[in-house]
Amino acid sequence: KAMCSGRLQTALLVAGYFVYLLVGAAVFQALERTAEKQEKMAAAQMKEAFLQNFTQLTVAEMEQFMKNLIEAIQNGVYPVGNESQFEESNWDFSNSFFFAGTVVSTIGYGTLHPKTAGGQIFCVFFALFGIPLNIVFLHRVGKMLSLLCKKLGKFLYEKGMRKKKIKFLTLLFFLATGILVFLCLPSVFFQITEGWSYSEGIYFAFITLSTIGFGDYVVGKADSRE
């Protein structure tokens, strides 16, 4: 009964965690997408005005254009290509879900952030409840790995192995499993899906896992990939 209860709690926690992220993603998308579209239209108009009058611009006007361009890029708006590219949103559902995950995990790459007042206020409350939920979720994952190590230790003990050796082997198993699951395998996945080298995949996995989150490497940002 205790085992069934534990599994049920784990299942409910996992389901609740992902539902929380899905709801957060939907809200962020609803709050930010319209404002982003307006910002992209403004950037397109700024680009068009520049192309029509660039030979007549003064130094001060050129400086202002550069400032506006830098600000647009910092906000995730890249005024390049034709107008159809402006229909693509940084706040589609997959990006919004990814952003919600970076908020609750405290990674914060900085490549995507809410700009509307509503989005920023929601982000505060979303993180306020989401970060503790994420900690509970990770604690449960750690507990499951620990239980696996205990079962391994019990098996080795029944085979007649000494306790000191069992402790060393279970610790080695725990570390090896963690490195394989959280560093080695994700790096292969990033190498295939993102076109990075394996060392870049290892670097990104570690920066993400440690919640440093520089933002120099972020998944899904290559133009040729979805």
Side-chain angles (χ1 to χ4, degrees):
K1 285 183 179 180
M3 189 177 289
C4 288
S5 177
R7 287 177 179 174
L8 180 62
Q9 287 177 0
T10 301
L12 289 173
L13 177 62
V14 171
Y17 181 74
F18 281 100
V19 167
Y20 189 80
L21 292 180
L22 289 168
V23 171
V27 175
F28 280 121
Q29 184 182 26
L31 291 171
E32 295 295 323
R33 199 164 188 174
T34 302
E36 183 201 38
K37 191 171 183 180
Q38 292 172 349
E39 197 169 3
K40 285 188 173 184
M41 288 175 65
Q45 290 170 358
M46 178 187 73
K47 175 186 173 182
E48 188 178 347
F50 172 78
L51 291 174
Q52 289 176 353
N53 303 306
F54 72 94
T55 56
Q56 302 169 7
L57 292 179
T58 63
V59 174
E61 288 171 334
M62 189 65 187
E63 291 274 347
Q64 187 59 48
F65 170 77
M66 293 299 292
K67 286 179 182 178
N68 293 340
L69 181 62
I70 291 169
E71 187 180 346
I73 292 170
Q74 287 174 341
N75 288 332
V77 177
Y78 302 92
V80 293
N82 54 36
E83 289 184 7
S84 64
Q85 289 180 298
F86 288 92
E87 295 301 317
E88 297 173 4
S89 176
N90 290 319
W91 289 100
D92 58 19
F93 192 78
S94 60
N95 277 341
S96 299
F97 183 81
F98 181 73
F99 173 74
T102 64
V103 170
V104 299
S105 60
T106 71
I107 297 170
Y109 292 114
T111 53
L112 192 64
H113 53 274
K115 302 171 195 73
T116 64
Q120 290 169 351
I121 292 169
F122 175 75
C123 188
V124 170
F125 286 99
F126 182 75
L128 198 62
F129 295 99
I131 291 170
L133 177 62
N134 185 68
I135 292 169
V136 172
F137 175 76
L138 292 178
H139 175 70
R140 178 66 67 169
V141 171
K143 201 172 180 180
M144 288 170 67
L145 284 173
S146 180
L147 187 63
L148 193 62
C149 287
K150 282 182 181 178
K151 285 182 178 179
L152 176 64
K154 187 179 179 181
F155 173 78
L156 294 174
Y157 183 74
E158 288 172 353
K159 293 293 181 181
M161 195 173 287
R162 288 183 300 173
K163 285 187 177 180
K164 283 187 178 179
K165 196 171 183 181
I166 289 171
K167 282 183 179 179
F168 173 75
L169 286 174
T170 51
L171 178 62
L172 188 65
F173 173 77
F174 187 85
L175 291 173
T177 302
I179 290 169
L180 180 68
V181 172
F182 294 108
L183 285 178
C184 297
L185 291 179
S187 300
V188 173
F189 177 77
F190 298 138
Q191 188 178 19
I192 295 167
T193 58
E194 298 298 319
W196 298 340
S197 66
Y198 188 73
S199 61
E200 287 173 325
I202 287 278
Y203 168 75
F204 171 74
F206 178 78
I207 293 300
T208 297
L209 188 65
S210 59
T211 72
I212 295 170
F214 288 127
D216 50 348
Y217 286 84
V218 181
V219 295
K221 290 298 177 184
D223 293 334
S224 58
R225 302 173 191 279
E226 293 188 8

